[in-house]
């Protein structure tokens, strides 16, 4: 039987851009989040231009069909998950770098450009795009914008929103709006660009972004320090940040995470490791001096071993422990990754509280994270095919978020709300702010068709 919606979409985009094959739709139902329900989509469209996106949204609005925009689906909050009967709008084919300007230090890109590909392209011109989420070899700029993604370099350079100057956005009505500007400065009107960054596809579909670039940094060097306690590692990190140094990376692994990595691959870590601190400086000729100062600070705060890289290859080896976190935890069971961020002064209280939560609910909680900016990733690990353990893990997950809020923090530092954390959003925002969020959503998307059920319940 003919489907009028699909017929209209094929007429507007062509047969190749419209997919209703059940197996393909099933493979696009969800992102990488655990325990987030994914519905059954009605159709998948793959537009290549802003005009095609506009046509899709006009048709969806005419038929009253919800639209879920997807990039590479590497997210961890369920924001890209399908809802029943929805239209999936993939930006994968909108993958062109439209311009790189060394004079203005900007890049103009479509949303389907992969983060790492943009980074390599601008580096060829002596420029640097700092946001670098762990999934940067797969995640797209559009997805990074949707969640306001961060990464390892946030401690020095900031998150995605700090590098977005302007956007082209298609509203639910199909209208096209440009926000922000190419100029380095501009304060006219409300900052709609910052409003859309991090909105997780609930306000519009980003079809083009003008991004700020920086001069490429000098060669980076790394130091790694091992401590016998969490407290010593956190104290050393705080001292590094208070020293006047601005490391380009400052990462923390708690004891359970470090031991899981050591079990996975011999990194020479002691059996009684309490925490591991990894720091990096990208100040070229001054990097060695910075690394030496960081090493001295770590030693003064109880480090039992400090390794300093003398070249890029040694730096890469020292960073390997951080990059092995996910592979090392996977053999231990199912992982449920949290994403709380607290003031640095509250990090010890957060880590102690997480350990208590793990004991209370009888689950393993490992806690790597971006300690330089207080954004930690408590990861609840539990056995497969164990419903009781799964139930305890979910309770522990919620308890960690409540702890983060109690310490003056946030339920997400870079992964977003999606469906995974929507029920805790009012706890953080309060009822007045939440109502303002709903009014903003109503202004942009009166029929509530854009990514319904995400962020706002």
């Amino acid at each position: 039987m003919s489907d009028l919606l699909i017929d209209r979409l094929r007429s507007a985009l062509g047969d190749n851009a419209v997919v209703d094959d059940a197996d393909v739709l099933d493979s696009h139902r969800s992102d990488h989040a655990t325990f987030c329900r994914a519905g059954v989509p009605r159709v998948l469209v793959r537009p290549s231009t802003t005009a095609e996106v506009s046509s899709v949204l006009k048709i969806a609005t005419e038929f009253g069909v919800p639209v879920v925009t997807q990039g590479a689906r590497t997210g961890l909050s369920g924001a890209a998950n399908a809802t029943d009967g929805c239209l999936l709008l993939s930006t994968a084919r909108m993958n062109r770098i439209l311009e790189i300007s060394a004079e203005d230090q900007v890049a103009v890109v479509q949303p389907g450009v992969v983060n790492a590909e943009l980074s390599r392209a601008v580096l060829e011109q002596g420029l640097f795009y700092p946001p670098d989420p762990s999934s940067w070899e797969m995640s797209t700029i559009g997805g990074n914008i949707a969640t306001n993604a961060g990464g390892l370099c946030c401690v020095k350079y900031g998150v995605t929103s700090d590098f977005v100057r302007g956007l082209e956005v298609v509203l639910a009505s199909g209208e096209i709006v440009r926000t922000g500007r190419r100029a380095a400065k501009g304060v006219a009107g409300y900052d709609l660009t910052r409003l859309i960054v991090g909105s997780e596809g609930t306000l519009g579909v980003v079809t083009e972004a003008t991004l700020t670039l920086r001069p490429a940094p000098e060669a980076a060097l790394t130091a790694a320090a091992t401590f016998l306690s969490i407290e010593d590692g956190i104290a050393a990190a705080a001292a590094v940040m208070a020293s006047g140094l601005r490391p380009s990376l400052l990462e923390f692994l708690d004891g359970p995470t470090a031991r899981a990595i050591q079990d996975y691959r011999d990194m020479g870590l002691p059996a009684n490791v309490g925490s591991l601190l990894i720091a990096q400086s990208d100040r070229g000729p001054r990097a060695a001096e910075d690394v030496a100062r960081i090493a001295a600070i770590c030693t003064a705060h109880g480090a039992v071993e400090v390794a300093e890289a003398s070249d890029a290859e040694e730096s890469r080896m020292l960073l390997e422990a951080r990059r092995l976190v996910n592979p090392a935890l996977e053999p231990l069971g199912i992982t449920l990754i949290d994403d709380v961020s607290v003031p640095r002064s509250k990090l010890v209280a957060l880590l102690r509280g997480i350990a208590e939560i793990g004991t209370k609910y009888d689950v393993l909680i490992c806690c790597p994270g971006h300690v330089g900016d207080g954004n930690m990733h408590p990861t609840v690990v539990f056995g497969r095919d164990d419903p009781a353990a799964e139930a305890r893990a979910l309770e522990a997950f919620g308890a960690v978020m409540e702890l983060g809020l109690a310490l003056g923090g946030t339920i997400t530092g870079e992964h977003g709300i999606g469906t995974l954390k929507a029920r805790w959003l009012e706890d953080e925002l309060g009822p007045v702010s939440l109502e303002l969020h709903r009014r903003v959503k109503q202004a942009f998307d009166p029929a509530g068709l854009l990514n319904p059920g995400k962020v706002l319940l």
Side-chain angles (χ1 to χ4, degrees):
M1 189 173 85
S2 175
D3 185 316
L4 185 56
L5 169 68
I6 294 175
D7 290 345
R8 287 284 300 279
L9 290 169
R10 284 183 171 144
S11 177
L13 276 69
D15 290 348
N16 189 45
V18 181
V19 181
D20 61 353
D21 179 82
D23 290 338
V24 175
L25 294 179
D26 186 64
S27 69
H28 283 75
R29 289 176 60 209
S30 63
D31 62 16
H32 287 186
T34 309
F35 299 110
C36 292
R37 182 185 179 277
V40 179
R42 183 172 176 182
V43 63
L44 166 69
V45 297
R46 294 169 171 151
S48 300
T49 67
T50 299
E52 289 183 347
V53 172
S54 177
S55 295
V56 168
L57 290 179
K58 287 176 182 177
I59 293 169
T61 295
E62 177 186 344
F63 282 80
V65 175
V67 177
V68 176
T69 304
Q70 296 181 332
R73 293 177 289 112
T74 58
L76 293 167
S77 68
N81 283 13
T83 57
D84 287 332
C86 76
L87 183 158
L88 296 178
L89 193 161
S90 169
T91 60
R93 291 183 177 175
M94 302 181 71
N95 59 1
R96 291 188 298 137
I97 298 174
L98 302 174
E99 180 188 1
I100 298 172
S101 170
E103 182 176 12
D104 289 336
Q105 293 192 346
V106 298
V108 182
V109 306
Q110 291 184 311
V113 172
V114 172
N115 183 299
E117 292 178 1
L118 173 64
S119 296
R120 286 190 280 265
V122 301
L123 186 60
E124 291 177 0
Q125 299 194 31
L127 298 168
F128 176 42
Y129 179 66
D132 64 337
S134 296
S135 59
W136 77 311
E137 290 284 3
M138 298 180 291
S139 65
T140 60
I141 296 299
N144 295 168
I145 289 170
T147 60
N148 199 7
L152 301 184
C153 292
C154 288
V155 63
K156 181 174 182 178
Y157 294 106
V159 296
T160 297
S161 60
D162 297 309
F163 293 88
V164 180
R165 288 194 187 179
L167 296 170
E168 179 184 76
V169 183
V170 182
L171 304 179
S173 62
E175 296 172 288
I176 300 168
V177 62
R178 284 190 171 270
T179 72
R181 54 202 54 82
R182 184 187 179 101
K185 293 179 67 176
V187 295
Y190 297 134
D191 193 346
L192 297 182
T193 302
R194 286 247 176 182
L195 181 61
I196 291 166
V197 175
S199 62
E200 302 183 40
T202 62
L203 302 182
V205 179
V206 172
T207 51
E208 184 181 293
T210 301
L211 306 173
T212 298
L213 304 176
R214 293 194 175 190
E218 307 260 9
L221 293 178
T222 306
T226 305
F227 302 86
L228 296 181
S229 72
I230 285 173
E231 290 81 1
D232 286 348
I234 294 294
V240 168
M241 295 303 295
S243 68
L245 292 168
R246 274 298 171 264
S248 55
L249 176 152
L250 190 61
E251 294 292 300
F252 176 87
L253 305 176
D254 68 342
T257 307
R259 287 190 288 275
I261 290 169
Q262 178 62 26
D263 290 341
Y264 180 78
R265 183 176 300 174
D266 186 4
M267 303 293 291
L269 300 175
N272 60 345
V273 57
S275 60
L276 181 68
L277 193 65
I278 305 171
Q280 190 172 82
S281 170
D282 61 1
R283 295 206 301 160
R286 300 186 65 178
E289 176 188 338
D290 289 352
V291 164
R293 288 179 61 190
I294 291 169
I297 290 170
C298 290
T299 299
H301 285 81
V304 294
E305 184 177 355
V306 181
E308 300 177 48
S310 60
D311 56 34
E313 179 58 22
E314 288 186 5
S315 288
R316 186 196 65 76
M317 292 175 63
L318 292 178
L319 272 175
E320 187 176 10
R322 179 63 179 90
R323 301 190 190 283
L324 287 176
V325 168
N326 290 336
L329 296 183
E330 186 175 346
L332 302 182
I334 297 174
T335 57
L336 184 54
I337 302 173
D338 215 323
D339 172 40
V340 296
S341 186
V342 299
R344 287 197 299 266
S345 60
K346 302 296 184 181
L347 281 168
V348 170
L350 176 70
L351 271 293
R352 287 175 175 167
I354 287 170
E356 292 170 2
I357 290 169
T359 299
K360 177 180 179 180
Y361 292 101
D362 190 24
V363 292
L364 172 65
I365 306 181
C366 298
C367 195
H370 316 307
V371 68
D373 51 25
N375 185 192
M376 306 302 286
H377 295 307
T379 302
V380 186
V381 186
F382 58 97
R384 294 177 172 83
D385 302 319
D386 187 342
E390 178 179 316
R392 296 196 307 273
L394 290 170
E395 289 190 73
F397 180 87
V400 170
M401 283 193 287
E402 291 166 5
L403 172 63
L405 291 176
L407 295 173
T410 174
I411 58 176
T412 178
E414 58 186 2
H415 291 171
I417 298 295
T419 59
L420 185 64
K421 299 189 173 187
R423 71 184 181 93
W424 287 280
L425 187 60
E426 185 173 2
D427 293 344
E428 177 167 340
L429 299 181
V432 176
S433 179
L434 191 66
E435 178 58 26
L436 285 174
H437 278 63
R438 291 194 173 108
R439 292 178 191 175
V440 169
K441 168 70 170 172
Q442 174 71 18
F444 275 80
D445 179 23
L449 295 179
L450 297 181
N451 219 6
K454 314 296 174 57
V455 184
L456 301 173
L457 292 177

